[in-house]
């Protein structure tokens, strides 16, 4: 039995996504993003970030259908092992139905997921799922972007939908929705980790995701030229707020995020040693380095290895086979 199946059971394979979700909406940048993904997949031996092609912010007003057609063409022309997603317009936008018909209808088989922005309720997710299924892409996962105080209030309900894969936090719209009650510096790389209402919203979304086996995805850091600030923000999101994924809006952010979300080498080595010993004991409790280890800790250590693989870290030789064979 594969460790993923032994330790995670029915949830095997559902709670892990690449730690970086890279967004682009301009044609030249979308093409470069897909090219960079292919190059880094070859470099790391795994697809270490998603590329989400953006219709919401990328499409010119009046040219939404043409932009969606371009995005569908790019998705269909991507590499076979690429992870390509799309962000459509909100469910109440006039272009939403057309986006879904074009993207899910033409390229649904090539898409990793559909991102639904400005999700306010479980009904919004259900509406998106129905549209996707009617377009012929039944089973295509949905992700959602929470951007308002009311949506944060409903985060646990939204996260419960079986087709929902991940929730992301839309910082700038969230701050703007408070009519000036939250200062503008709460949208900055430091302020967003200090203002209580913003931190509370992030924690609600993270907690909702973990309660339902979904992936919490931290939003953007707009100061993309300050790599040190980005790295510190990513570490805070991961280590203090429980996020396991984060958005990138510039190619220079991708490697910084991979590094920030990756386990340390000592953590990887310890996790591999414990899991190899556990496998030899048929997953019964063991004593390792003077400590009791059992299924509860095995799950944690397996997740360390999953994260290492997702971020392109080098695994101990004995553990590499777990990421080359089918999880059965």
């Amino acid at each position: 039995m594969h460790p993923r199946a032994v330790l995670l059971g029915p949830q095997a394979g559902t709670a892990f996504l690449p730690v970086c979700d890279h967004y682009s909406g301009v044609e030249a940048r979308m093409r470069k993003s897909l090219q960079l993904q292919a190059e880094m997949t070859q470099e790391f031996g795994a697809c270490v970030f998603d590329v989400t092609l953006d219709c919401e912010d990328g499409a010119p007003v009046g040219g939404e259908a043409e932009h969606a057609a371009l995005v569908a063409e790019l998705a269909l022309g991507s590499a076979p092992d690429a992870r390509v997603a799309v962000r459509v317009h909100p469910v109440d936008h006039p272009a939403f139905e057309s986006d879904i018909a074009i993207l899910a209808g033409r390229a649904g088989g090539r898409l990793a997921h559909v991102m639904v922005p400005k999700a306010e309720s479980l009904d919004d997710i259900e509406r998106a799922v129905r549209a996707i299924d009617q377009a012929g892409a039944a089973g295509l996962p949905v992700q959602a972007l929470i951007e308002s105080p009311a949506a944060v209030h409903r985060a646990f309900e939204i996260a419960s939908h079986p087709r929902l894969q991940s929730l992301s936090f839309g910082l700038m719209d969230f701050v703007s929705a408070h009519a000036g009650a939250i200062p503008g510096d709460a949208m900055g790389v430091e302020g967003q980790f200090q203002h209580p209402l913003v931190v509370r919203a992030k924690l609600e979304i993270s907690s909702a995701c973990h309660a339902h086996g979904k992936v919490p995805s931290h939003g953007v850091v707009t100061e993309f030229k300050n790599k040190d600030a980005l790295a510190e923000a990513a570490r805070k999101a991961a280590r203090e707020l429980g996020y396991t994924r984060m958005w990138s809006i510039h190619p220079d952010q991708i490697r910084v995020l991979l590094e920030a979300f990756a386990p340390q080498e000592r953590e990887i080595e310890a996790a591999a040693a414990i899991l190899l010993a556990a496998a030899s004991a048929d997953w019964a409790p063991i004593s390792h380095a003077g400590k009791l280890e059992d299924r509860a800790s095995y799950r944690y250590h397996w997740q360390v290895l999953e994260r290492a693989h997702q971020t392109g870290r080098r695994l101990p030789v004995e553990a590499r086979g777990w990421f080359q064979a089918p999880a059965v």
Side-chain angles (χ1 to χ4, degrees), residues 112-128:
H113 66 264
V114 172
M115 167 59 76
V116 179
K118 296 179 173 59
E120 289 292 319
S121 67
L122 190 63
D123 287 344
D124 287 349
I125 306 303
E126 187 57 39
R127 179 177 173 181

Side-chain angles (χ1 to χ4, degrees), residues 72 75-76 102-114 132 135-137 140-141:
L76 288 169
I102 293 170
L103 294 163
R106 297 183 190 176
R110 287 293 298 116
L111 297 178
H113 66 264
V114 172
I132 291 168
L140 180 62

Side-chain angles (χ1 to χ4, degrees), residues 206-217:
S206 174
S207 182
C209 285
H210 290 299
H212 291 286
K214 311 302 169 66
V215 174
S217 182

Side-chain angles (χ1 to χ4, degrees), residues 45-310:
C47 186
V48 292
F49 68 94
D50 284 350
V51 170
T52 299
L53 306 178
D54 193 2
C55 289
E56 185 190 22
D57 290 341
V61 175
E64 290 89 354
E66 291 79 7
H67 189 79
L70 169 63
V71 167
E73 175 191 336
L74 292 174
L76 288 169
S78 62
D81 56 350
R83 285 187 53 88
V84 185
V86 294
R87 176 164 68 162
V88 297
H89 286 84
V91 296
D92 59 355
H93 191 281
F96 171 75
E97 299 289 347
S98 175
D99 280 353
I100 296 296
I102 293 170
L103 294 163
R106 297 183 190 176
R110 287 293 298 116
L111 297 178
H113 66 264
V114 172
M115 167 59 76
V116 179
K118 296 179 173 59
E120 289 292 319
S121 67
L122 190 63
D123 287 344
D124 287 349
I125 306 303
E126 187 57 39
R127 179 177 173 181
V129 166
R130 284 197 305 268
I132 291 168
D133 290 352
Q134 289 168 4
L140 180 62
V142 171
Q143 299 187 13
L145 182 58
I146 287 185
E147 306 179 62
S148 76
V152 169
H153 176 70
R154 303 185 189 104
F156 281 80
E157 185 179 326
I158 294 171
S160 72
H161 196 286
R163 283 276 287 281
L164 189 87
Q165 196 177 53
S166 173
L167 285 179
S168 296
F169 178 53
L171 170 67
M172 289 179 282
D173 279 282
F174 178 81
V175 171
S176 298
H178 284 76
I182 299 177
D185 60 12
M187 293 187 283
V189 67
E190 294 182 1
Q192 65 177 288
F193 293 97
Q194 297 170 350
H195 195 282
L197 284 175
V198 176
V199 174
R200 173 182 172 271
K202 292 184 181 187
L203 288 171
E204 285 291 299
I205 292 168
S206 174
S207 182
C209 285
H210 290 299
H212 291 286
K214 311 302 169 66
V215 174
S217 182
H218 196 273
V220 299
V221 168
T222 55
E223 297 91 338
F224 59 84
K225 290 187 177 180
N226 189 338
K227 294 183 179 180
D228 291 338
L230 172 64
E232 181 61 19
R235 285 191 290 267
K236 286 182 178 179
R239 299 175 187 177
E240 298 176 15
L241 304 181
Y243 282 80
T244 57
R245 180 170 162 97
M246 188 165 173
W247 287 32
S248 159
I249 55 170
H250 191 281
D252 289 348
Q253 293 185 324
I254 295 171
R255 291 182 186 270
V256 177
L257 296 181
L258 292 178
E259 185 67 31
F261 278 88
Q264 299 297 308
E265 185 175 351
R266 57 179 174 78
E267 295 177 294
I268 298 170
E269 291 176 353
I274 289 168
L275 290 172
L276 289 164
S280 297
D282 293 326
W283 306 104
I286 62 170
S287 173
H288 182 85
K291 289 176 58 181
L292 171 68
E293 304 283 354
D294 60 13
R295 293 286 184 96
S297 61
Y298 297 160
R299 281 193 291 273
Y300 169 79
H301 292 301
W302 174 251
Q303 289 157 355
V304 169
L305 292 191
E306 287 268 26
R307 184 76 53 218
H309 179 65
Q310 290 170 328

